[in-house]
Amino acid sequence: MRPSSAAKREQILDAASTLFVQHGFTDTSMEMVAQQAGVSKQTVYSHFGCKDDLFTAAIRCKCDRYNLVDLLVREDGSLRERLLDIGRHFIQLILSEEARCVHRTCVSQVDTQPQAAALFFAAGPQVMIQGFTEMLGREAELGRVVMEQPRHAAIQFLMMVMGEAKLRSELGITPQLSDEEIDRYIVSCVDLFLRGYGYTEGQ
């Protein structure tokens, strides 16, 4: 894309992200996004053919900003170091205000607008699970871990990392866990996960 076109795309994504968080999927229109981004409605449609495409792109954009996709294909460092980075970036994303608001909106509208929840799952959680499954599959093929079901292992790790911090965040329980408490928990999750799948330091 030309620089001006790429800049407009970013403007549209930023505007869409804000509006989807504030108003939810159903109550956000392409016209509202155009006004918020300072572009014409036709410009929005030229970049994103429909609201479903825009919502999907906005979710993926938010995920990309936490570098999770890059971390899943990273090869330097030990597996333990890489899992620690994945766990830390993942919980930062999960606890971010944007992710919490979009997730809350999707859940609240799941009976009336199930497509929003489906789009959210496909653009965010499913991409993460798939990428992590592929990463763990490569590690298993290299003999660094022993696992017959990498996808099960990927889901186990991600659900475990969410832990109490995610639950407190969803329910608005105060005080929230401190950064130090969350990090200690992630370290314990990584070490438990690696022991369970036969990893030893230095592999």
Side-chain angles (χ1 to χ4, degrees):
M1 289 185 289
R2 298 187 305 276
S4 60
S5 179
K8 285 182 179 179
R9 188 177 191 277
E10 287 301 312
Q11 286 176 234
I12 294 167
L13 282 173
D14 285 342
S17 297
T18 299
L19 291 170
F20 283 131
V21 166
Q22 292 177 345
H23 304 288
F25 177 81
T26 304
D27 295 330
T28 298
S29 68
M30 298 293 262
E31 185 172 358
M32 290 168 61
V33 173
Q35 292 176 349
Q36 178 88 0
V39 300
S40 68
K41 190 160 76 168
Q42 183 57 45
T43 298
V44 176
Y45 277 107
S46 69
H47 285 275
F48 306 97
C50 63
K51 190 165 72 169
D52 286 9
D53 292 343
L54 179 57
F55 184 73
T56 297
I59 297 299
R60 287 182 177 170
C61 182
K62 288 297 180 185
C63 294
D64 289 346
R65 289 176 183 173
Y66 286 85
N67 300 318
L68 286 168
V69 174
D70 292 338
L71 289 174
L72 293 174
V73 296
R74 174 183 156 196
E75 295 183 356
D76 61 301
S78 69
L79 178 58
R80 184 176 186 274
E81 292 170 337
R82 285 178 281 144
L83 288 177
L84 284 171
D85 280 344
I86 290 169
R88 287 164 177 157
H89 283 248
F90 180 66
I91 198 65
Q92 287 173 8
L93 169 62
I94 291 300
L95 297 181
S96 69
E97 184 64 20
E98 301 98 325
R100 290 171 59 238
C101 288
V102 172
H103 180 266
R104 189 184 305 122
T105 300
C106 288
V107 171
S108 67
Q109 298 179 345
V110 70
D111 291 330
T112 57
Q113 294 292 331
Q115 76 202 77
L119 289 169
F120 173 78
F121 182 77
Q126 188 164 276
V127 171
M128 182 65 188
I129 291 170
Q130 181 60 34
F132 199 19
T133 297
E134 292 171 0
M135 172 191 163
L136 293 177
R138 292 191 298 270
E139 296 297 319
E141 288 176 0
L142 291 169
R144 293 173 181 157
V145 289
V146 180
M147 57 179 63
E148 296 180 0
Q149 298 288 341
R151 189 173 189 276
H152 290 177
I155 295 170
Q156 289 163 357
F157 181 85
L158 296 174
M159 296 301 103
M160 182 166 56
V161 165
M162 289 186 189
E164 183 184 358
K166 175 67 158 51
L167 185 60
R168 281 178 171 267
S169 174
E170 283 184 339
L171 298 176
I173 303 298
T174 56
Q176 299 291 328
L177 299 182
S178 68
D179 292 341
E180 292 77 14
E181 288 173 314
I182 291 173
D183 197 66
R184 286 198 299 270
Y185 175 71
I186 290 173
V187 171
S188 70
C189 286
V190 169
D191 289 339
L192 176 63
F193 180 82
L194 290 174
R195 285 198 301 272
Y197 282 106
Y199 175 84
T200 57
E201 195 68 40
Q203 286 183 301

